[in-house]
Amino acid sequence: MRRQVCRRFLYTRIFPGRSGRIPTRKAEVNGMAKQHKRGVKLPVRVILIALLIGIQLAVLVASIYFLSYKAIWLYVLFEAVSICMVIYVVNQRKNPSYKIMWVLFILIFPLMGGIIYLFWGGGRVFPHLKKRMRRCEKEVRPVLRQDPRVESRLEFVDMLHARQSRYLRRESGFPVYTATSAEYFSPVERVWPRLLEELEKAEHYIFIEFFILAQGKMWDSVHQILARKAAAGVDVRIIFDDFGSCTRQYRGFAKGLRAEGIQVSVFNPLRPSLDLFMNNRNHRKMVIIDGKTAISGGFNIGDEYVNLWHVHGHWMDNAFILKGDAVRSYLAMFCAMWSFITRRKMDIRPCLTSCPAPAEGFVQPYCDGPLNDRNPAEGLYMQILNTAQRYVYITTPYLILDSEMTTLLCLAAKSGIDVRIITPKIWDKWYVHPATQYSYEELLEAGVRIYEYTPGFIHSKIFVSDDRVATVGTVNMDFRSFYFHFECGTWFSNMDVVGDIKADVLRIMEKSEEIRLDKWRRRPLGMRLKQSILHLFAPFM
């Protein structure tokens, strides 16, 4: 009887507004199985788009080869273009690993390689998109002025790590704040009730932005509150990425939300186009409530993130809640992205709220994206490795490293810094995990300690160092996060939350298997070949 009462209490807290009989374990399992079956089914739209893109690509390749063999001057032209592209790629100030992959591709396919790079290579995007994003960022920039007193105080308290903050401000444009409290949650099921609690407090607006917004029990609990708040006059706006969410939503999802008074903007909708921008996705995760509260981390809205659906074993992820002045930066990120997608200016001034929180330490949210030539996320990771004096602990689902990051990790370990990295034992993408493992041997030889989270998939993205600084957010250690995706994160300095983050990483290590160098060297030849081959395509993953 006591167990039934506890289950009813938890059920009503997690799913407010629901009443009646609590589903039995069998009913829950059957329901989740049906939901999983429907969730992974590819929509007809996705299948048609993939088919049309495949046809376009096939026609392009066939046309190049047909024309080149019918007209010798075209063959010479295509060869000349490929040679020019190789010279251009080699002389670019780009990541060496990325350049090598494109040079190899052009040399293997000399006729079409140069043409394909001309249209889709180099991470280029259309100039008008860059111009539009600059305009949207300019609209919110006035609210992101750095308080010189905060900057001076940080330099006085912690000169060593103040350089990380200065770097972030110059590269991302976001200031460092005090008067901001932070709470850390791991795994994500711990933040779920708090998310619902904070949403219930909304009086003026709720802004939500996620890479994946998947229908299921987690979304149902959030949706009930959003629909009720929208009906009461609260401004509710949602951004989700079409690529991340389209296979996890039923037909008419966005239309249904709009009918409830919720404004919805879909980032970069899938379409049958060879446009390179289709490769750039919005990987950010954030919830902003009344300018007073911001919730972010590595999680999306989906049942696997709160372990209602064990698709890859136990899903380990994290979240944090900010209250105070630093919420302003997340508000600016959302408003700029909303204006970019809708092409309509979103005035940030009515959304601003003065709500300093009594807290010590420093907080600096930041974002990154492919529409500029800066790379603050990867640069911050490098800064943390450069300034570490005792340890750097890292968790990441993907460890696809370029030569510069590999060198920094090895140099830190060889200089006596305790460098530890946790990656998943159970992978989510068969072709990415071998590329992740490719760097193990070189890192282990340098003294880096590597762990694999054995209960399942670790999705947390954490850097924590010396009990003084940490960063948590959406940025994976791979080419996609560093170069192709829109990302966000928060840097913490001299706060209690840094200790919470370190303690979480140590708990995860206890449940992880440490990879030993002698054993790793004896791995099967087939595994070595797969890792070496897939590593060549790492910049495209």
Side-chain angles (χ1 to χ4, degrees):
M1 181 66 182
R2 182 180 299 174
R3 181 179 298 178
Q4 181 70 10
V5 171
C6 291
R7 287 191 70 213
R8 185 176 297 278
F9 173 76
L10 290 173
Y11 185 79
T12 54
R13 284 297 302 273
I14 294 177
F15 304 109
R18 294 189 181 183
S19 59
R21 185 177 64 85
I22 299 175
T24 63
R25 184 173 298 276
K26 183 176 181 181
E28 290 174 349
V29 171
N30 291 339
M32 286 304 298
K34 292 178 180 178
Q35 184 186 62
H36 168 53
K37 186 176 181 180
R38 284 199 295 178
V40 298
K41 184 179 179 181
L42 288 176
V44 175
R45 180 174 71 98
V46 177
I47 297 173
L48 288 176
I49 289 174
L51 181 62
L52 291 172
I53 290 176
I55 292 173
Q56 292 180 63
L57 189 59
V59 169
L60 175 64
V61 173
S63 299
I64 291 174
Y65 275 96
F66 177 78
L67 291 173
S68 65
Y69 285 109
K70 289 293 182 180
I72 187 63
W73 65 271
L74 280 175
Y75 178 87
V76 174
L77 176 62
F78 291 150
E79 286 282 6
V81 169
S82 294
I83 293 172
C84 291
M85 288 300 101
V86 168
I87 296 173
Y88 175 74
V89 170
V90 170
N91 286 280
Q92 271 192 311
R93 300 179 66 179
K94 294 280 187 180
N95 187 285
S97 300
Y98 191 70
K99 292 195 294 186
I100 289 172
M101 185 60 249
W102 270 111
V103 169
L104 183 64
F105 180 78
I106 294 172
L107 293 177
I108 293 175
F109 305 102
L111 290 179
M112 66 176 183
I115 303 297
I116 290 178
Y117 183 85
L118 187 63
F119 284 96
W120 300 291
R124 293 187 300 273
V125 292
F126 291 121
H128 74 278
L129 295 178
K130 290 185 177 182
K131 184 177 180 180
R132 192 200 310 170
M133 179 56 80
R134 284 197 298 267
R135 184 174 64 251
C136 296
E137 291 174 343
K138 185 177 180 180
E139 292 170 355
V140 301
R141 196 169 296 138
V143 306
L144 296 175
R145 293 191 179 95
Q146 176 65 64
D147 186 342
R149 294 171 298 178
V150 175
E151 195 172 35
S152 299
R153 183 183 169 194
L154 174 58
E155 292 178 355
F156 176 79
V157 171
D158 192 352
M159 174 63 75
L160 179 64
H161 297 106
R163 57 186 283 192
Q164 297 174 19
S165 174
R166 287 196 301 270
Y167 169 81
L168 272 182
R169 181 170 59 84
R170 291 172 182 173
E171 287 294 290
S172 70
F174 288 89
V176 61
Y177 301 90
T178 54
T180 303
S181 65
E183 295 179 78
Y184 179 77
F185 301 86
S186 177
V188 173
E189 43 263 42
R190 289 183 54 212
V191 81
W192 188 7
R194 282 294 306 277
L195 170 63
L196 303 181
E197 180 183 327
E198 296 297 335
L199 289 174
E200 290 283 8
K201 296 177 182 177
E203 298 177 351
H204 304 290
Y205 63 82
I206 299 172
F207 299 155
I208 295 177
E209 183 176 346
F210 281 96
F211 176 61
I212 296 175
L213 204 163
Q215 292 188 290
K217 289 187 177 181
M218 186 180 187
W219 166 247
D220 287 345
S221 63
V222 172
H223 175 226
Q224 288 183 8
I225 300 174
L226 298 182
R228 184 164 17 94
K229 290 292 182 178
V234 174
D235 183 8
V236 180
R237 306 190 188 204
I238 296 176
I239 296 173
F240 63 81
D241 186 273
D242 196 32
F243 181 83
S245 304
C246 64
T247 62
R248 306 289 302 278
Q249 298 171 351
Y250 309 140
R251 179 178 293 181
F253 178 81
K255 185 178 180 180
L257 292 178
R258 293 186 181 110
E260 296 173 339
I262 299 172
Q263 299 186 62
V264 180
S265 289
V266 182
F267 179 85
N268 203 0
L270 294 177
R271 58 185 185 274
S273 171
L274 293 176
D275 177 7
L276 180 66
F277 193 60
M278 284 288 103
N279 195 39
N280 301 121
R281 311 313 311 181
N282 185 357
H283 199 238
R284 298 177 186 174
K285 293 98 176 176
M286 65 182 76
V287 179
I288 306 104
I289 303 166
D290 290 345
K292 301 176 181 179
T293 303
I295 304 173
S296 186
F299 74 103
N300 288 290
I301 301 295
D303 287 351
E304 67 269 32
Y305 294 90
V306 290
N307 285 292
L308 293 178
W309 172 23
H310 295 283
V311 61
H312 302 298
H314 183 269
W315 193 285
M316 177 59 68
D317 215 330
N318 60 12
F320 58 85
I321 297 179
L322 300 180
K323 290 180 181 288
D325 291 350
V327 176
R328 175 173 297 203
S329 287
Y330 275 100
L331 177 61
M333 293 180 207
F334 181 90
C335 291
M337 183 59 73
W338 184 272
S339 298
F340 175 78
I341 299 172
T342 63
R343 306 188 187 188
R344 295 191 300 272
K345 180 180 178 180
M346 181 178 177
D347 192 356
I348 191 174
R349 288 172 296 180
C351 304
L352 295 174
T353 305
S354 179
C355 52
E360 296 295 328
F362 305 89
V363 179
Q364 190 167 8
Y366 59 92
C367 68
D368 198 355
L371 296 181
N372 55 54
D373 297 324
R374 299 183 298 274
N375 193 8
E378 184 181 24
L380 175 61
Y381 287 174
M382 291 180 173
Q383 287 275 354
I384 293 175
L385 286 167
N386 277 327
T387 57
Q389 295 181 312
R390 293 188 293 115
Y391 75 85
V392 178
Y393 297 160
I394 302 166
T395 69
T396 179
Y398 314 117
L399 189 69
I400 302 177
L401 306 176
D402 57 26
S403 57
E404 295 175 348
M405 184 65 75
T406 303
T407 300
L408 275 176
L409 288 166
C410 291
L411 283 175
K414 288 178 180 179
S415 62
I417 305 300
D418 181 11
V419 181
R420 307 186 192 185
I421 304 174
I422 306 175
T423 63
K425 181 72 172 181
I426 301 176
W427 39 265
D428 65 333
K429 299 179 181 69
W430 69 267
Y431 55 89
V432 175
H433 195 59
T436 287
Q437 294 177 322
Y438 175 83
S439 301
Y440 281 9
E441 188 165 346
E442 184 177 359
L443 295 174
L444 290 169
E445 288 175 345
V448 177
R449 299 177 67 180
I450 299 176
Y451 299 78
E452 289 187 341
Y453 181 64
T454 52
F457 186 74
I458 182 167
H459 194 251
S460 307
K461 307 96 165 51
I462 297 172
F463 263 64
V464 59
S465 177
D466 295 344
D467 298 345
R468 303 295 294 274
V469 296
T471 181
V472 180
T474 69
V475 187
N476 299 314
M477 293 188 71
D478 63 2
F479 288 86
R480 285 207 159 272
S481 280
F482 291 153
Y483 299 105
F484 299 140
H485 285 173
F486 293 87
E487 306 280 0
C488 66
T490 295
W491 178 79
F492 302 97
S493 174
N494 295 276
M495 299 184 71
D496 292 339
V497 72
V498 175
D500 298 336
I501 295 168
K502 177 188 177 183
D504 179 45
V505 174
L506 292 175
R507 283 194 297 269
I508 295 172
M509 283 183 193
E510 294 175 357
K511 300 177 182 179
S512 304
E513 173 190 357
E514 185 170 3
I515 305 299
R516 301 293 182 180
L517 178 58
D518 55 346
K519 184 178 179 181
W520 187 250
R521 283 174 171 165
R522 298 193 300 270
R523 66 193 184 279
L525 179 60
M527 181 183 294
R528 290 173 179 266
L529 290 174
K530 183 165 63 173
Q531 291 165 357
S532 299
I533 293 171
L534 290 174
H535 170 71
L536 294 174
F537 300 94
F540 296 158
M541 293 182 182

